[in-house]
Amino acid sequence: MRNSTKMIILSVIAIGFCGLYLFHDLNGSFDYALPRRAIKVIAMVLTGVAIAYSTVIFQTITHNRILTPSIMGLDSLYLLLQTVVIFFLGSGHFTIVNRHVNFILSVSTMIVFALILYQLLFKRGSRPIYFLLLVGIIIGTFFQSISTFLQVLIDPNEFLRVQDKMFASFNNVSGELVWWALGIVILTFVVGWKYFNDLDVLSLGRDTAINLGVSYDRVVKMMLVISAVLISVSTALVGPITFFGLIVANLSYQFFNSYRHIVLIAGASVMSVIALVGGQWVVERIFTFSTTLSVIINFVGGVYFIYLLLKESRSS
């Protein structure tokens, strides 16, 4: 089956799930329920595309298909920021209550952290990308330790508010924040569009890419920035989803027989829409909100991650 045919089939399935989520059991509530469902669908599509895009390009520049951008510690920084604000200022502070302020604070903090980290690690010449990953793992673990320590000391009532921030949720997404995030993601895509061909060459390795005329260090730095922006926006909008990018990216690699990143990213994006919209419908209609979508995704993603590790160990 050709890749174009596969893409059409996946797109039809994604549109079908979106239509099912929007109109199933609507009972004529077009003025109240439909606009709110539409905002949630847009948020899920936006989050899925951002995570899929960032994960594919991150795995390309690291040449490792079991890594995700969360290894840089951005998810841990987000949770630390929310924990620190609630611990010292309380859950009633305007930085928590006001979603717009919280969104701007979270996105700006994560992006500034990523830029400072990249600047410090790359300012003294070219460093191996794995050195950056090692530093990201250490910083992420450090952030998690501080968050856990503060959560043990925090008031139990305040901890409930922190707990809400630990898992991704599409139930209370702000409509205005969705449009803000959409603008940032579209701008990021416009900037990253011209690098798709360079990513195809980067997948051949550093030396080969340099020999073929690609400015390797510049492209890698730009892709790291784009990945950080997308993950920051998606995390600040709905919360952290650890293993979701790992699932959709690897499924795209297996389903599409192509090296072209425009195909792989588009395929991963459509798969992410199917997983998020379809999964959210199952959570709401079948499980009746007894669990959250992020818990299911992290469980399935964790099992899939173990499978990939075992597969890689057998192949080596």
Side-chain angles (χ1 to χ4, degrees):
M1 188 183 299
R2 299 175 58 184
N3 287 332
S4 58
T5 305
K6 296 178 182 179
M7 191 69 69
I8 292 174
I9 294 175
L10 288 176
S11 300
V12 171
I13 296 175
I15 294 173
F17 271 118
C18 291
L20 177 65
Y21 186 86
L22 285 172
F23 299 105
H24 177 260
D25 199 21
L26 194 60
N27 297 327
S29 182
F30 291 96
D31 296 331
Y32 178 78
L34 185 60
R36 286 160 176 77
R37 291 187 183 184
I39 289 296
K40 292 171 67 174
V41 169
I42 295 174
M44 286 185 279
V45 172
L46 188 62
T47 302
V49 172
I51 293 177
Y53 183 19
S54 61
T55 303
V56 171
I57 63 176
F58 189 82
Q59 292 180 350
T60 297
I61 61 179
T62 58
H63 303 288
N64 193 317
R65 293 187 176 183
I66 61 175
L67 296 179
T68 62
S70 61
I71 200 173
M72 299 304 302
L74 295 179
D75 293 350
S76 301
L77 176 61
Y78 169 78
L79 184 57
L80 174 63
L81 176 65
Q82 304 301 320
T83 304
V84 167
V85 172
I86 294 177
F87 183 85
F88 289 103
L89 302 178
S91 59
H93 196 262
F94 76 97
T95 54
I96 297 296
V97 176
N98 192 314
R99 295 182 180 181
H100 302 83
V101 175
N102 188 270
F103 178 81
I104 296 174
L105 178 64
S106 300
V107 172
S108 58
T109 301
M110 287 186 282
I111 293 178
V112 169
F113 163 75
L115 294 177
I116 293 176
L117 179 63
Y118 300 156
Q119 182 66 25
L120 291 176
L121 294 180
F122 288 118
K123 70 177 182 179
R124 295 185 178 179
S126 177
R127 289 185 181 270
I129 189 67
Y130 288 105
F131 179 78
L132 176 63
L133 299 180
L134 178 61
V135 174
I137 293 174
I138 295 173
I139 294 177
T141 305
F142 176 68
F143 288 161
Q144 288 178 351
S145 300
I146 299 177
S147 300
T148 303
F149 176 73
L150 294 178
Q151 289 164 16
V152 172
L153 300 178
I154 202 170
D155 180 84
N157 295 323
E158 301 285 8
F159 177 73
L160 293 177
R161 194 62 185 266
V162 176
Q163 198 172 35
D164 292 338
K165 301 290 184 178
M166 292 182 180
F167 306 100
S169 175
F170 298 94
N171 297 323
N172 296 313
V173 179
S174 172
E176 292 185 9
L177 294 184
V178 169
W179 300 120
W180 290 10
L182 179 62
I184 298 174
V185 171
I186 291 176
L187 180 61
T188 306
F189 266 78
V190 171
V191 174
W193 180 265
K194 63 179 180 179
Y195 292 100
F196 278 155
N197 293 331
D198 292 334
L199 288 171
D200 297 340
V201 181
L202 251 62
S203 60
L204 299 176
R206 183 179 187 277
D207 295 336
T208 304
I210 294 175
N211 290 333
L212 292 175
V214 175
S215 180
Y216 182 84
D217 292 336
R218 181 178 62 86
V219 174
V220 167
K221 292 176 183 178
M222 180 58 67
M223 292 301 102
L224 286 173
V225 172
I226 290 176
S227 179
V229 171
L230 292 174
I231 288 298
S232 300
V233 171
S234 63
T235 303
L237 182 64
V238 299
I241 309 179
T242 305
F243 290 107
F244 184 66
L246 176 74
I247 300 173
V248 295
N250 281 276
L251 288 178
S252 180
Y253 298 144
Q254 296 180 10
F255 193 67
F256 293 97
N257 185 23
S258 176
Y259 67 91
R260 299 185 62 198
H261 280 73
I262 189 172
V263 175
L264 296 175
I265 293 173
S269 300
V270 177
M271 289 179 180
S272 66
V273 173
I274 295 174
L276 288 180
V277 179
Q280 185 67 22
W281 183 85
V282 170
V283 167
E284 294 183 9
R285 303 300 172 181
I286 297 179
F287 292 105
T288 60
F289 294 101
S290 60
T291 185
T292 60
L293 179 60
S294 61
V295 172
I296 299 175
I297 290 176
N298 288 335
F299 173 75
V300 176
V303 174
Y304 190 58
F305 178 73
I306 295 175
Y307 162 75
L308 291 176
L309 288 178
L310 296 176
K311 180 181 177 182
E312 289 293 329
S313 63
R314 285 197 302 265
S315 62
S316 59

